[in-house]
Amino acid sequence: MEKKGTKIAYFIALAIVVIALVIAKVTNDGSGFVATGWALFPPVVAIALALISKEVYSSLFLGCLAGALLLANFQPWQMVVNFVGAGEGVGMINAIDISILIFLVMLGIMVDLMNKAGGSAAFGRWAKKAVKTRCGAQLMTMLLGVLIFIDDYFNCLTVGAVMRPVTESHKISRAKLAYVIDSTAAPVCMIAPVSSWAAAVSGYVQSDSVNGIQLFVAQIPWNYYCLLTLLMIVVISILNIDYGPMLTHEYNAQVKNDLFTTPERPFEGADDYEEGAKHSSSVLDLLLPVVVLIVTCIIGLIYTGGYYDDTSEYFHDFMGAFSNASSGAGLAIGSMLALVFTFVYFWLRGSIGFEKIPVDASSKMPDDHMDSIEPYDYSGLKEFSTAYLPGFLADKYDVSVKDSQKRADTRCASTLEDALRGTVTGYDSCTLEHKQIDLKRGKVHYALLPVWMLHTKWNGQDFLFAMNGQTG
C-alpha cells in the first residue's frame, strides 16, 4: 500500500467491516451466526481487502478474525479460543495438518539442493539449446510444470528458476512466464492424486462411506477449471494469442526488449540464477530427485493405506491401499525418503556446491572475529577501485591463496557434515565413525569487506570489538 489513494480505500473498507460487525451484533437475537448469510462475510472481507491492499497475509488474518468473532457470537475469550483452535475442531491449529507442513519443508530443502548442485542450471542450459521457438519455450515451461505435479509451490520454485533464462532468450515477458507457471502449477496439482492438494482436500472429507482420496480421484473428470486452464495454455502458446494487459507486456518484450513493463521495475536485474557445479551438473540432477520424490510419495501413500500390512484388508492391493491412504502422512514419509536419497545422491556425485566462502586474508584480523560477524551480502560486490578507499583504513591481504585453502576446505567439510547429520532422525545421538569428503576447488577472488573496529582498554586489559559494516 504505497499510494495514498490505496491507503484511503483500505481504511474506508476497514470502517465498513467494523460497521457491518456492529450491525451483526445489534441485529442478532442471540442464536449466533452459524448457517446464516453472515457465514459468507469473512471470505468477502479477506478477498475485498486483498484486492484493495494487494497484501494477502494481513487480509486473510483480518478475515479469519472476523470469522472467529462471528463464531464466538462476539464473546472475546471464545473468539481467541476459536481463532487459535483449542480443541473445538476449528481454528488455525486444527486446520493445519502438520504432516503437510513437514512435506512442504522437505520440498523446500530439495529445491535448494537441486539449485546448489546445478541441476536447475543444467536443465536450463539443455532447454536453451533444444528449444528454438517462443511457442516451444512456453510449452516446455508447461510440460516441466506438469512433470512436477507433486506440489504447486515446489512447481513454481523449480520451473521458475529453470525456465527464466530460456524464456528470456526468446523475449517472453515476465508476466507471460508467470502466467504459464501459475496456470500450470495449481491446476495440475488439483487433478493429481499424489500431491499436497490431494492431501489437503481429502483431509476435509469426514465420511464413513467414502475415503478422501477416493472422492478426490472421482472429482478429477469434473474439475473443468483445471482441465480448461491447461488447455488454454496450449492454445495460447500454439496460436500465439495475447490480449488485454498481457498484449502490452508481450509487445514491450518483443519490440522494446523490455521484459518487465512495470514503471517501478522492482524486479529488474534481481535474477540471481543458481549456477551450481557447472563442471559436473547434468539434467539428471534435476529430473532424478523429482522422479524419486514421486515414487517415494506413492510408496508412502500405499504404506499408510495398509499395502505392506499383512493384517490389513488391503494387503498387496495397490488400488485399495491407495484409496485407503492417509495422504498427509504418506506424502511426509515419501518426501523424507526422497530428501535422504537426494543428499546421498549429490554426496556421491560430489555435486553439492559452495559459493563465495569467506576466508580472512589478513593475519592481523583474528579469524574468529571475522567468522562471528558474517554473513555478508555478496550481491553488492563491485569491481575494485581506489575511489572507494578515501576516508577509510584499508588493509592489504597478506595471506596467500594456498594458506587460505585449508581453512576454506574445513568450512566446506564442516557444513556438509552438519547437513548430512541433520538428515538422521529418531535417535538420541549420532556418532560419526568415518567420513570421506572430496572437494573440488573453484576460483579465488580477493575482496574488501567493511568492518567497524573498536579497540579499548579496561582494568588493564585490551578488548577488540568487530562489527559487520554492511549489516550492522
Side-chain angles (χ1 to χ4, degrees), residues 353-376:
F354 297 88
E355 293 185 358
K356 296 182 176 66
I357 306 162
V359 176
D360 184 17
S362 173
S363 59
K364 302 173 186 176
M365 185 70 175
D367 290 340
D368 56 345
H369 279 58
M370 287 302 297
D371 292 348
S372 64
I373 63 175
E374 292 177 12
Y376 282 89

